[in-house]
Amino acid sequence: MIVELGHYALILALSVSLVQSVAPLIGARIGDKRLMDIGPVTASAGFLLLAFSFSALTAAYVTSDFSVLNVFENSHSLKPMIFKISGVWGNHEGSMLLWVLILAFFGALVATFGRDLPPSLKANVLAVQAWVLTAFLAFILLTSNPFTRIFPVPFEGQDLNPILQDIGLAIHPPLLYLGYVGFSIAFSFAVAALIDGRIDAAWARWVRPWTLAAWICLTLGIAMGSYWAYYELGWGGWWFWDPVENASFMPWLSGTALLHSALVMEKRSALKVWTILLAILTFSLSLLGTFLVRSGVLTSVHAFATDPTRGVFILAILCIFIGGSLALFAFRASALESGGLFQPVSREGALVLNNLFLTTAAATVLVGTLYPLVLEMATGAKISVGAPFFNLTFGPLMLPLLFAVPFGPLLAWKRGDLAGATQRLYWAIGAALGGAIIVLALTRGTEILAAFGVALAVWLMVGSFADLGQRAGFRKAGLATGFKRLKGLPRSAFGTTLAHFGLGVTVLGIVCVSAFQTEVVTAMSPGETRESGGYSVRFDCMSERQGPNYTEEVGNFTLLRDGTSVDTMESARRLYTARQMPTTEAGIRTEWFSQLYISLGDSEANGGATVVRIWYKPLVTFIWIGAIFMALGGCVSLADRRLRVGAPGRRRAPTAVGAKAAGA
């Protein structure tokens, strides 16, 4: 019964969404407040209906109700509870239901916390949001119904894809969808503003917190996905330039550009046309990623294999929303004012440079991702565009951007002083040179590129604090006064520092693991030892274990240093019995910020030698720690009162004298 109610709630949500997509829009057009007030009510009601529908599907998974086709195909009664729950979104139908739930969630947030928005803008935003929601609800009900029943009821399920049975995949998709779908709010604001024909600095102030929230979630989602692939797939890498990885990375790049562009628009009323276009393109790239993952045109461990009908439906949605929004933009762009003027050397100029490199990098990734697909459709030839292409095109674009990052916050608005900003970065310059010298000394001058990379990372990390140091004025005012000044700074200043520092930490991790990691691929028999990362790795034995829904062969290793045992490690080959699908479980030992990584390959017949891959990865965890710092910087910025849309202002209670005077 709960399943039928969930299906019915999904149909009701589509009906409510249809009302939301029309009534507020008409109300804004004719100035009818009652029609505009329908938007917040329907947005909240739609979210509650979808939350109930999602809960109904979750209940079917938790109770192993195999009369539901989706549960039968993606669950198993012996599966641990955490993976029963994560199995809800570990498939096409369930993940699309989560997609629309998050879409409705953001609409409900605008309805609840957007009380300071102009009524017509709020009505148009909610209507545009409902257009997207309606399209995807129709897609689910017509092609991807998660509540389809089967008869006769199977005794047991087919289990979830084994590589998805991991805690990382319980966290990664929801975070990724919060980022993907969160950019729909920026898109809705952009289209609503184009409908109204009014775009100003206040618009940028309203849209920035929503964009920032989506960017934070997408940053964490990408980092979580990267770490999951690193430890779960057993390949030892942290980024493969997989097309589905690129599909999430492209909106992150354009979303980062949008955040900086919106800042210029808010502060200087400049880059209006460009900011609107970026808001449209960012969500368009999110929609493109949805199409790539679910259309069946890509083969990837991240992709959902689907039939062509679904791909055509999503492609139609893609064309309607991307084509329609760009057509509206082209129609309205000529009527938009260009905004304030500024000199090339200024904070606006630095942010424009930031946008130029980020959008070009996103375009490069887009070309490398889509070119094989376009070529195959045009000629039938199949090619792959891999890491060498992206490293040679994306990397050089990032170098000047990374070098310029510390300068941006130190330049004044409208007209900056580049020489003065350079003087404030002397500490960063000295630290960067020191980092390069240390690397060259340790490697005896053989790793010049690594020295340059470390210098760039240190330049970013130390340079990120230059703006706070300048504002505090420790040198002239002293420590006590300086800390008082820091306390009075807006939180967004600290958020910017943390985000830029995190970027430097990530760059340092990438450089160190790329330049200094060691890899040993060898066949080992029990009792044999290999050297890696300052350890002697001894292969002790193979053993067998039984899991709840799998069997595994476990390789046991002992780590020795100077002949003394310091730790033990395990690496395993699992076989999930329901699907008869093998996976590799890597053994990872973290020492400070570096890791020793062991992965098992095939074994010879009759219990012979086993192929073992041993990597030592110095400072590899910095890659993901840096992403956490970036997201933390976003959270600190989001806590800034100036970015909390609808936050009531603080008012002091009138004193008795003041009240008496007011009465007089």
Side-chain angles (χ1 to χ4, degrees):
M1 184 63 181
I2 186 68
V3 172
E4 281 68 29
L5 289 175
H7 188 195
Y8 185 58
L10 196 60
I11 297 171
L12 281 180
L14 175 61
S15 304
V16 170
S17 182
L18 283 169
V19 175
Q20 181 186 338
S21 64
V22 176
L25 190 68
I26 296 174
R29 187 71 177 173
I30 65 177
D32 189 328
K33 187 176 183 301
R34 290 176 300 175
L35 286 177
M36 288 190 283
D37 287 342
I38 291 176
V41 176
T42 51
S44 301
F47 168 67
L48 292 176
L49 287 168
L50 286 171
F52 178 82
S53 183
F54 187 81
S55 300
L57 183 61
T58 303
Y61 268 85
V62 169
T63 59
S64 295
D65 184 356
F66 298 125
S67 68
V68 179
L69 178 62
N70 185 259
V71 179
F72 165 69
E73 291 178 339
N74 299 283
S75 192
H76 192 279
S77 60
L78 297 179
K79 192 168 63 173
M81 182 57 67
I82 180 64
F83 301 139
K84 286 184 178 181
I85 296 173
S86 64
V88 178
W89 55 80
N91 59 87
H92 169 75
E93 293 82 2
S95 65
M96 283 307 304
L97 186 57
L98 177 63
W99 207 96
V100 295
L101 174 64
I102 294 174
L103 189 65
F105 171 68
F106 275 100
L109 286 180
V110 173
T112 304
F113 296 105
R115 55 185 177 272
D116 286 350
L117 294 171
S120 62
L121 177 62
K122 183 177 180 179
N124 285 333
V125 168
L126 292 176
V128 174
Q129 191 78 358
W131 296 349
V132 183
L133 182 59
T134 299
F136 279 98
L137 283 173
F139 169 74
I140 291 175
L141 288 169
L142 295 176
T143 71
S144 308
N145 184 6
F147 297 105
T148 302
R149 293 278 196 178
I150 54 174
F151 186 83
V153 179
F155 177 73
E156 188 56 86
Q158 295 180 341
D159 209 355
L160 181 65
N161 187 334
I163 65 172
L164 302 182
Q165 295 188 40
D166 183 83
I167 189 63
L169 261 293
I171 302 171
H172 165 59
L175 281 174
L176 203 65
Y177 291 172
L178 283 167
Y180 262 163
V181 182
F183 285 127
S184 66
I185 296 296
F187 172 83
S188 297
F189 266 94
V191 174
L194 289 172
I195 292 172
D196 270 350
R198 293 180 298 176
I199 302 171
D200 53 18
W203 178 91
R205 189 161 53 253
W206 290 320
V207 82
R208 272 186 67 207
W210 303 106
T211 305
L212 186 57
W215 181 88
I216 292 167
C217 293
L218 189 57
T219 301
L220 292 174
I222 292 173
M224 185 70 251
S226 168
Y227 192 63
W228 165 79
Y230 167 77
Y231 71 77
E232 177 65 22
L233 301 184
W235 63 300
W238 55 274
W239 192 261
F240 191 64
W241 292 108
D242 179 280
V244 180
E245 289 177 335
N246 297 346
S248 62
F249 191 44
M250 288 185 290
W252 186 88
L253 290 170
S254 59
T256 305
L258 174 60
L259 279 176
H260 292 84
S261 179
L263 179 63
V264 177
M265 184 174 170
E266 178 186 348
K267 297 294 185 181
R268 297 283 304 142
S269 293
L271 303 183
K272 293 180 180 179
V273 176
W274 175 243
T275 304
I276 291 290
L277 180 60
L278 270 180
I280 293 172
L281 291 179
T282 300
F283 185 59
S284 297
L285 289 172
S286 295
L287 290 177
L288 177 63
T290 302
F291 168 73
L292 292 176
V293 172
R294 299 169 191 284
S295 62
V297 300
L298 294 178
T299 301
S300 166
V301 297
H302 308 78
F304 294 103
T306 60
D307 60 76
T309 304
R310 293 171 174 174
V312 171
F313 201 119
I314 295 180
L315 183 60
I317 294 175
L318 199 71
C319 293
I320 290 171
F321 284 103
I322 296 178
S325 58
L326 290 178
L328 179 61
F329 173 79
F331 178 73
R332 289 286 197 182
S334 58
L336 300 177
E337 297 179 0
S338 59
L341 300 177
F342 53 86
Q343 294 294 320
V345 179
S346 61
R347 187 173 298 189
E348 298 97 322
L351 294 172
V352 168
L353 183 70
N354 160 289
N355 272 226
L356 175 65
F357 282 108
L358 284 172
T359 51
T360 305
T364 300
V365 177
L366 179 64
V367 170
T369 303
L370 296 185
Y371 177 71
L373 304 177
V374 175
L375 183 66
E376 183 178 354
M377 287 189 296
T379 66
K382 292 187 177 182
I383 66 168
S384 61
V385 176
F389 167 81
F390 292 105
N391 292 339
L392 289 174
T393 55
F394 182 83
L397 285 171
M398 288 294 99
L399 290 179
L401 174 61
L402 296 176
F403 177 76
V405 164
F407 284 99
L410 298 175
L411 294 173
W413 294 103
K414 196 172 182 179
R415 183 191 297 272
D417 180 6
L418 186 60
T422 304
Q423 290 177 352
R424 300 183 190 102
L425 289 168
Y426 279 162
W427 282 101
I429 295 171
L433 290 175
I437 292 170
I438 291 172
V439 172
L440 290 174
L442 292 176
T443 62
R444 299 182 180 179
T446 59
E447 296 288 349
I448 297 176
L449 289 178
F452 174 77
V454 170
L456 184 61
V458 174
W459 161 258
L460 279 168
M461 290 189 290
V462 178
S464 64
F465 291 96
D467 181 48
L468 292 181
Q470 177 194 355
R471 294 194 187 193
F474 287 113
R475 180 182 298 180
K476 295 182 179 179
L479 288 178
T481 304
F483 280 115
K484 286 182 181 179
R485 290 178 178 176
L486 283 179
K487 187 177 179 180
L489 291 178
R491 293 177 184 175
S492 58
F494 294 97
T496 300
T497 296
L498 281 172
H500 290 176
F501 177 79
L503 180 61
V505 173
T506 294
V507 170
L508 182 60
I510 292 172
V511 170
C512 289
V513 77
S514 300
F516 305 122
Q517 76 172 357
T518 59
E519 179 182 1
V520 177
V521 182
T522 181
M524 297 181 69
S525 297
E528 292 186 343
T529 300
R530 298 291 186 271
E531 302 295 325
S532 181
Y535 293 101
S536 295
V537 181
R538 187 181 67 208
F539 182 26
D540 294 328
C541 64
M542 293 291 295
S543 58
E544 293 186 357
R545 280 201 304 234
Q546 178 69 47
N549 58 336
Y550 61 83
T551 60
E552 64 178 349
E553 294 178 292
V554 181
N556 298 277
F557 299 86
T558 298
L559 303 185
L560 303 105
R561 181 172 284 166
D562 299 327
T564 303
S565 174
V566 294
D567 202 356
T568 59
M569 292 181 64
E570 292 183 351
S571 182
R573 295 191 301 257
R574 287 182 180 175
L575 179 65
Y576 285 78
T577 51
R579 293 205 177 202
Q580 288 296 299
M581 185 173 175
T583 65
T584 299
E585 302 296 319
I588 299 176
R589 182 181 190 271
T590 303
E591 184 175 15
W592 294 100
F593 302 106
S594 303
Q595 290 184 335
L596 186 70
Y597 185 110
I598 301 178
S599 177
L600 290 182
D602 296 328
S603 297
E604 296 179 358
N606 302 320
T610 300
V611 175
V612 179
R613 295 174 174 86
I614 306 171
W615 285 274
Y616 179 69
K617 297 177 174 293
L619 302 186
V620 66
T621 58
F622 276 5
I623 296 172
W624 305 291
I625 292 173
I628 293 173
F629 271 111
M630 284 188 269
L632 181 61
C635 292
V636 172
S637 293
L638 197 60
D640 194 314
R641 244 190 121 63
R642 297 174 301 174
L643 292 184
R644 281 152 54 193
V645 176
R650 293 182 180 177
R651 295 182 180 179
R652 292 183 178 179
T655 62
V657 176
K660 185 176 181 180

